[in-house]
Amino acid sequence: HTHPLSTTKNSTRDCSSRHSCSTHPVVGRRGIMRPYLLQGHERPITVVKYNYDGDLLFSASKDQVPSVWRSENGERLGTFDGHKGTIWDLDCDRFSKHLLTASADATCKMWSCETGECLKNFPHRGPVRGVAWAEDNRRFATISDPFVDHNAKISIFDIQSDSVEPIKEIDIPKEIKRTNATNITWTYLNEHLLVSMDNGYIRLYDPETGRIVNEFMAHEKKINRLQFNLDKTLFITSSADFTSKLYDAVNLKHLKTYKTDRPVNDAVISEQKDHILLGGGQEAMSVTTTSGKVGKFETRFFHLVYEEEFGCVKGHFGPINAIAINPNGMNYASGAEDGYVRLHHFDKSYLDMKDPVPEADEPVDDE
């Protein structure tokens, strides 16, 4: 069921087909930024992610087939065929050798990034919501939803083990109200597992013992996504309570809040500038009931320090579900409910933009 990455059937070279990339002008803050429109999915996008080197972009949607694209020009390199349900999350390892996909078909699969072949299948008891490689590229952790009698679980696997059974399972017990985990990430040096919940809480688990080390309420409503910066010193949350919050990843101290007027589905920290990119929109089911301005679902740019919005990029025809920024800071991708991934290469005016830093006690000229 796999297509090697070299197959022309899945490539975007044939721009006449539905699965193609095309450029479309979008007016950014200054001048025009032309994005590549990546047309490879037939259902809403759930996640977009760059690899560590930033030359590949992975995307997944509710159509069960993740894709990989070249980030430089938006060419589709291939697909990973085999899942039978929505892909909720994916993660590529440090050396772009293996890709993990978490799916609603209650499995997590490991693929070869080069050939598109499914190397291992890890069965779960319920739909798998999130997956994350550990920094050793040997272990990975998943979160799965509760199903019938089984509680929600955090599972840790070792890819070098002969068995596809987890080496550790951590139960997320049912409280007064059923709470599901929405995201999972390893903290620096695999010290802890950081898990966000749909009741607005964030939990820190010890991956060795499975006990909760810390728990705090970050938002009033569901946390949709939690993302670290590259060196794992900061992380940002996106929530249905219309805010996104920046935290210190070491002491879990709340640093900044970015407020909007609609649910935030994803947010990402820029590696090269002190900027935050936010994406969201009203919930998919209420989109048709609101005034239908063309492509008004925008990526919002906030200043990391001042919490001020200074620009936006429009273009999507549905709420933005996923955002990723290239580690080199040269481009970013957004995926939305409309099934399109838009790959934006920043223009010169943005890259050259100087961030205003007011200096304290500046000497006045006439003194």
Side-chain angles (χ1 to χ4, degrees), residues 153-207:
K153 278 188 172 55
I154 297 169
S155 311
I156 301 169
F157 297 86
D158 186 336
I159 62 164
Q160 291 177 356
S161 154
D162 296 330
S163 164
V164 291
E165 291 299 310
I167 53 171
K168 175 102 192 139
E169 273 195 327
I170 304 166
D171 222 36
I172 303 175
K174 197 170 169 182
E175 292 166 20
I176 307 150
K177 200 169 144 226
R178 193 170 95 166
T179 54
N180 291 350
T182 55
N183 253 87
I184 187 161
T185 336
W186 298 77
T187 59
Y188 187 61
L189 297 177
N190 305 330
E191 196 175 349
H192 295 112
L193 286 165
L194 197 66
V195 179
S196 62
M197 316 294 287
D198 62 3
N199 60 358
Y201 277 82
I202 291 176
R203 284 182 187 166
L204 204 63
Y205 285 89
D206 184 317

Side-chain angles (χ1 to χ4, degrees), residues 60 112 125 185 226:
S112 160
R125 292 188 181 87
T185 336
L226 187 151

Side-chain angles (χ1 to χ4, degrees), residues 104-351:
D105 64 9
T107 66
C108 175
K109 292 185 192 293
M110 184 171 83
W111 312 81
S112 160
C113 289
E114 196 177 341
T115 64
E117 180 191 353
C118 181
L119 304 174
K120 269 189 176 181
N121 185 41
F122 301 92
H124 288 65
R125 292 188 181 87
V128 192
R129 279 281 159 183
V131 63
W133 279 107
E135 289 186 11
D136 54 14
N137 286 285
R138 205 184 127 170
R139 291 174 299 159
F140 68 89
T142 63
I143 42 170
S144 53
D145 285 352
F147 189 71
V148 195
D149 295 338
H150 300 287
N151 283 337
K153 278 188 172 55
I154 297 169
S155 311
I156 301 169
F157 297 86
D158 186 336
I159 62 164
Q160 291 177 356
S161 154
D162 296 330
S163 164
V164 291
E165 291 299 310
I167 53 171
K168 175 102 192 139
E169 273 195 327
I170 304 166
D171 222 36
I172 303 175
K174 197 170 169 182
E175 292 166 20
I176 307 150
K177 200 169 144 226
R178 193 170 95 166
T179 54
N180 291 350
T182 55
N183 253 87
I184 187 161
T185 336
W186 298 77
T187 59
Y188 187 61
L189 297 177
N190 305 330
E191 196 175 349
H192 295 112
L193 286 165
L194 197 66
V195 179
S196 62
M197 316 294 287
D198 62 3
N199 60 358
Y201 277 82
I202 291 176
R203 284 182 187 166
L204 204 63
Y205 285 89
D206 184 317
E208 304 301 325
T209 63
R211 68 185 184 86
I212 299 173
V213 181
N214 199 340
E215 180 179 28
F216 62 95
M217 189 174 179
H219 290 276
E220 289 163 22
K221 290 185 181 172
K222 177 183 175 181
I223 299 173
N224 291 317
R225 197 64 60 90
L226 187 151
Q227 296 218 46
F228 275 92
N229 61 349
L230 210 56
D231 51 13
K232 295 199 169 177
T233 51
L234 299 168
F235 68 85
I236 190 160
T237 59
S238 336
S239 170
D241 68 3
F242 299 8
T243 65
S244 184
K245 292 184 179 179
L246 188 73
Y247 283 87
D248 183 317
V250 182
N251 57 19
L252 303 180
K253 191 173 159 218
H254 172 226
L255 303 173
K256 302 284 173 186
T257 302
Y258 309 96
K259 296 188 176 105
T260 68
D261 56 357
R262 56 196 69 172
V264 184
N265 294 337
D266 204 353
V268 71
I269 302 163
S270 171
E271 292 301 328
Q272 306 299 329
K273 290 182 176 286
D274 287 335
H275 294 167
I276 301 287
L277 278 62
L278 258 66
Q282 349 58 320
E283 278 127 44
M285 60 183 188
S286 61
V287 167
T288 49
T289 59
T290 54
S291 63
K293 258 191 259 161
V294 177
K296 68 181 169 70
F297 297 94
E298 66 261 356
T299 301
R300 296 166 164 224
F301 286 70
F302 280 78
H303 200 287
L304 183 140
V305 180
Y306 307 127
E307 305 173 335
E308 288 166 1
E309 184 179 349
F310 65 84
C312 69
V313 175
K314 296 188 169 79
H316 278 292
F317 290 88
I320 294 171
N321 292 335
I323 286 188
I325 192 163
N326 196 316
N328 67 15
M330 301 299 278
N331 52 61
Y332 85 93
S334 56
E337 199 71 22
D338 59 9
Y340 291 117
V341 176
R342 297 174 82 91
L343 175 62
H344 303 78
H345 287 262
F346 291 121
D347 54 14
K348 193 170 181 301
S349 65
Y350 175 82
L351 296 171

Side-chain angles (χ1 to χ4, degrees), residues 93-109:
D93 71 359
R94 167 69 180 77
F95 303 105
S96 306
K97 195 175 172 195
H98 296 131
L99 176 75
L100 292 169
T101 51
S103 171
D105 64 9
T107 66
C108 175
K109 292 185 192 293

